[in-house]
Amino acid sequence: MTKQEEISCYICGNKKCSQIHDNIRYNLSPRPFRCDQCGFVFIYPKMTPEIEKEFYEKTYRSAYDNQDAKGLWESSLPEAKRRVSRFMDLFSTDSKLLEIGCASGYFLFEAKEHVKSVTGVELTKDYVKYGREKGLDVRESLNDVPDNYYDIIFMFHVLEHIDDPIYFLQDLKKKLSPTGKLIIEVPNVEDVLVSVYRIKNHLDFYWEIAHNYYFSKISLKHVLDQAGYQSVIYPLQRYDLSNHMYWMQFGKPGGQGYYNSIFTPALLAEYENNLKDKFICDTIYAIAEKNCAGTDLK
Ligand SMILES: [Zn+2]
């Protein structure tokens, strides 16, 4: 087992961190820890750069969603449509949009008719190829897109995979236009399944090696502050009451709507709104802008 004295918190540098569960997805050996001082949650030890490269090239897609680019596109279009409608108020016909980690391009495809241009950055070569076949502008590196250019940059479930999120976000500022907005969506570590129900099978599944960090409303705001953004954090609930009951009953993911013949739309909405009000929802997102008043690190 890992020596605890080697651990230090990414946020506050504190070396006293406590292991919070005894397993992670696929029975791998790293464990989730919480900083005793600031509460930040992370997986330790992280993958080495060599193992991480191999992991994302060979293991990640097959182990985690087992879908090719086309399958991922088809299964993700409903979520892409929900995302476009959620952020429609931010779009204009003059907007130049960039998505970091665009996978096979389903969100860009749904967003493109509402903005001036869409561009994606994606590391997985099969997805780059598929997105391009769909007519999308997909680049393989952030270095391939212009500086001081984008009015809206999206990152859906990407930040938790990044090794040094504060550095990454500082660097990303140069891609934004002076009034550009950055939208970051991540899982919320205060998710009711994790913070309240604490179902063992769910926790064994929830903690995973691909996520270096697990953000809360407080820690997401903190990394954005540190990187020189002003931001507001919003709650979002993606899974419904049926999904939670299914986990409790069967100890595995059950999708959505399992009890729709019993649960009324009003009941589902009430449950969702309660989780969001208490910020124990499964997802959070930030809408951020460059903080012109603070130090603007180059
Ligand atoms: Zn800490």
Side-chain angles (χ1 to χ4, degrees):
M1 189 51 224
T2 310
K3 289 181 190 166
Q4 293 218 10
E5 60 269 24
E6 294 170 5
I7 298 175
S8 75
C9 171
Y10 174 77
I11 294 277
C12 75
N14 176 41
K15 295 196 183 323
K16 288 189 178 162
C17 302
S18 303
Q19 184 177 320
I20 54 173
H21 193 60
D22 60 1
N23 197 4
I24 65 168
R25 201 183 295 190
Y26 301 116
N27 296 312
L28 299 173
S29 59
R31 294 288 176 259
F33 285 81
R34 176 178 283 120
C35 172
D36 291 354
Q37 184 163 278
C38 76
F40 193 51
V41 178
F42 56 95
I43 293 290
Y44 184 88
K46 285 193 285 194
M47 291 182 278
T48 63
E50 298 74 34
I51 291 175
E52 186 173 45
K53 187 165 184 291
E54 187 177 328
F55 176 78
Y56 279 107
E57 280 175 3
K58 295 185 180 164
T59 313
Y60 182 64
R61 294 300 170 190
S62 57
Y64 280 73
D65 38 43
N66 201 23
Q67 286 180 320
D68 62 11
K70 184 169 185 288
L72 183 66
W73 174 285
E74 285 166 1
S75 67
S76 302
L77 272 184
E79 179 72 14
K81 289 178 199 290
R82 284 193 290 274
R83 285 172 175 166
V84 166
S85 85
R86 184 177 310 131
F87 297 111
M88 188 66 84
D89 289 350
L90 299 176
F91 296 166
S92 87
T93 48
D94 294 330
S95 305
K96 287 163 291 195
L97 185 157
L98 175 68
E99 185 185 7
I100 313 288
C102 66
S104 53
Y106 36 85
F107 175 71
L108 297 175
F109 188 80
E110 288 296 322
K112 70 179 167 49
E113 67 182 276
H114 304 288
V115 294
K116 184 176 182 183
S117 68
V118 296
T119 302
V121 173
E122 174 57 44
L123 299 179
T124 305
K125 290 186 178 358
D126 288 353
Y127 291 172
V128 173
K129 183 167 173 280
Y130 191 84
R132 288 176 180 167
E133 284 168 9
K134 288 282 186 180
L136 297 166
D137 174 13
V138 184
R139 318 282 177 93
E140 292 182 73
S141 162
L142 198 55
N143 296 327
D144 299 339
V145 303
D147 291 349
N148 294 309
Y149 189 75
Y150 294 99
D151 303 299
I152 319 176
I153 300 180
F154 285 98
M155 290 172 61
F156 294 108
H157 297 257
V158 171
L159 195 70
E160 66 273 25
H161 297 260
I162 289 174
D163 181 47
D164 188 344
I166 294 173
Y167 174 81
F168 181 88
L169 292 171
Q170 283 172 341
D171 194 43
L172 189 59
K173 277 193 295 185
K174 67 182 182 223
K175 302 298 176 188
L176 278 172
S177 72
T179 57
K181 287 186 164 56
L182 170 64
I183 291 89
I184 299 178
E185 185 180 303
V186 291
N188 177 19
V189 72
E190 302 296 333
D191 185 340
V192 69
L193 282 167
V194 177
S195 63
V196 180
Y197 304 153
R198 304 198 54 74
I199 304 152
K200 179 174 176 2
N201 280 12
H202 176 265
L203 294 172
D204 290 348
F205 172 86
Y206 182 79
W207 306 115
E208 59 165 306
I209 196 169
H211 292 175
N212 289 318
Y213 305 112
Y214 287 83
F215 293 98
S216 65
K217 179 185 180 183
I218 291 170
S219 58
L220 180 58
K221 181 93 175 64
H222 180 85
V223 295
L224 282 159
D225 287 352
Q226 291 294 304
Y229 293 84
Q230 47 190 351
S231 62
V232 178
I233 314 296
Y234 297 90
L236 178 66
Q237 181 63 30
R238 298 165 79 207
Y239 288 95
D240 68 358
L241 177 58
S242 284
N243 176 276
H244 291 178
M245 288 187 64
Y246 200 94
W247 267 114
M248 290 180 194
Q249 275 183 291
F250 303 111
K252 59 184 181 182
Q256 306 259 32
Y258 191 68
Y259 292 115
N260 269 3
S261 59
I262 304 165
F263 297 160
T264 63
L267 170 63
L268 294 171
E270 174 103 14
Y271 183 66
E272 176 184 332
N273 288 334
N274 250 310
L275 299 179
K276 284 159 60 177
D277 287 348
K278 293 177 169 63
F279 261 92
I280 52 173
C281 43
D282 52 30
T283 309
I284 48 179
Y285 64 91
I287 300 183
E289 293 175 68
K290 286 193 262 194
N291 187 356
C292 299
T295 26
D296 194 13
L297 299 168
K298 301 281 182 200

